[in-house]
Amino acid sequence: MLSHGQISLLFQFSFDWNDGLFDVTWSENNEHVLITSSGDGSLQIWDIAKTKGPLQVYKEHTQEAYSVDWSQTRGEQLVVSGSWDQTAKLWDPAVGKSLRTFKGHEGVIYSTIWSPHIPGCFASASGDQTLRVWDVKAPGVKLVIPAHQAEILSCDWCKYDENLLVTGAVDCSLKGWDLRNIRQPVFILLGHTYAIRRVKFSPFHATLLASCSYDFTVRFWDFSKPNPLLETVEHHTEFTCGLDLSLHNRGQV
């Protein structure tokens, strides 16, 4: 096992940290700034124009900080992190400590992601088998969805529908959820043979999404079609743990 984490940016810069790095998110208002989350529970702010170390380190989580996301709504600059300590934390990068801690999950948090539509709203996915929706201005959790009968490793918001989210879990399934009616999923996608590690909606197509799994594959889906599995890519020879879809090139992943 590696003793430290490393992130490389287009092979131009390399930043080292003394523990594993689990997630990374870019600033929405500064193209040079990014935040990483690490196995020691800390978040690190980096500026690629200043390569001598992190600008700031936030150390509040008591276990691995497994996910981090920067808000996509331009009216605010907020970061949310999720940890194996079962909490999510809200941050303003201009402030030296967290603004709020969100408690309620009964298992490790694997994924935290902001709504691209609703300011101050984010979702979290956990080992407690639930998907939860939070409002940073409201006390407690806004919505609890018992989405799978297995650990949920990933979730994402649809870019075209503020009420639609997708979850990916250890049970090898992807499920779509309409926040207006959570009694049953609006779609279930089956095909992966091991746990689904990451799922992302397309930024260009309302019903298109991509997933990757411990079965070494990346799969593309259109949940509006009778046969939703569009393509299975088997180029990897080990676990596929992450993926994202380009905001600029429709065909690039």
Side-chain angles (χ1 to χ4, degrees), residues 146-162:
H148 295 259
Q149 292 184 324
E151 289 192 298
I152 307 170
L153 304 186
S154 185
C155 64
D156 195 27
W157 292 83
C158 178
K159 310 302 187 288
Y160 294 87
D161 184 343
E162 67 179 31

Side-chain angles (χ1 to χ4, degrees), residues 102-170:
F102 299 86
K103 298 180 179 180
H105 277 296
E106 298 175 358
V108 301
I109 296 176
Y110 289 109
S111 179
T112 47
I113 186 114
W114 289 104
S115 166
H117 311 279
I118 309 167
C121 181
F122 72 91
S124 58
S126 169
D128 66 9
Q129 307 180 4
T130 68
L131 171 71
R132 300 183 184 225
V133 178
W134 311 80
D135 182 344
V136 300
K137 301 178 182 66
V141 64
K142 184 177 180 180
L143 193 62
V144 179
I145 303 172
H148 295 259
Q149 292 184 324
E151 289 192 298
I152 307 170
L153 304 186
S154 185
C155 64
D156 195 27
W157 292 83
C158 178
K159 310 302 187 288
Y160 294 87
D161 184 343
E162 67 179 31
N163 292 301
L164 183 61
L165 290 98
V166 64
T167 52
V170 172

Side-chain angles (χ1 to χ4, degrees), residues 31-207:
E31 63 183 12
H32 298 295
V33 174
L34 57 92
I35 297 180
T36 51
S37 63
S38 94
D40 63 5
S42 68
L43 306 180
Q44 305 80 30
I45 301 182
W46 309 87
D47 186 334
I48 64 173
K50 302 173 184 177
T51 58
K52 292 188 177 181
L55 299 177
Q56 183 83 30
V57 177
Y58 302 124
K59 181 68 171 70
E60 290 189 23
H61 285 297
T62 58
Q63 295 186 44
E64 287 88 337
Y66 209 66
S67 68
V68 63
D69 193 36
W70 207 303
S71 61
Q72 300 174 45
T73 50
R74 297 290 180 174
E76 58 191 4
Q77 287 300 307
L78 296 174
V79 171
V80 63
S81 60
S83 171
W84 286 12
D85 66 12
Q86 303 183 10
T87 71
K89 287 182 178 287
L90 177 71
W91 310 83
D92 180 338
V95 179
K97 61 181 180 179
S98 65
L99 304 179
R100 184 177 167 189
T101 299
F102 299 86
K103 298 180 179 180
H105 277 296
E106 298 175 358
V108 301
I109 296 176
Y110 289 109
S111 179
T112 47
I113 186 114
W114 289 104
S115 166
H117 311 279
I118 309 167
C121 181
F122 72 91
S124 58
S126 169
D128 66 9
Q129 307 180 4
T130 68
L131 171 71
R132 300 183 184 225
V133 178
W134 311 80
D135 182 344
V136 300
K137 301 178 182 66
V141 64
K142 184 177 180 180
L143 193 62
V144 179
I145 303 172
H148 295 259
Q149 292 184 324
E151 289 192 298
I152 307 170
L153 304 186
S154 185
C155 64
D156 195 27
W157 292 83
C158 178
K159 310 302 187 288
Y160 294 87
D161 184 343
E162 67 179 31
N163 292 301
L164 183 61
L165 290 98
V166 64
T167 52
V170 172
D171 63 9
C172 309
S173 74
L174 296 161
K175 293 184 179 182
W177 300 96
D178 187 326
L179 300 184
R180 295 164 298 187
N181 183 359
I182 62 171
R183 288 176 295 178
Q184 58 185 14
V186 293
F187 63 81
I188 300 176
L189 305 176
L190 302 174
H192 281 295
T193 56
Y194 283 94
I196 294 167
R197 184 63 185 85
R198 187 67 61 93
V199 58
K200 286 285 186 179
F201 271 107
S202 167
F204 294 106
H205 304 280
T207 60

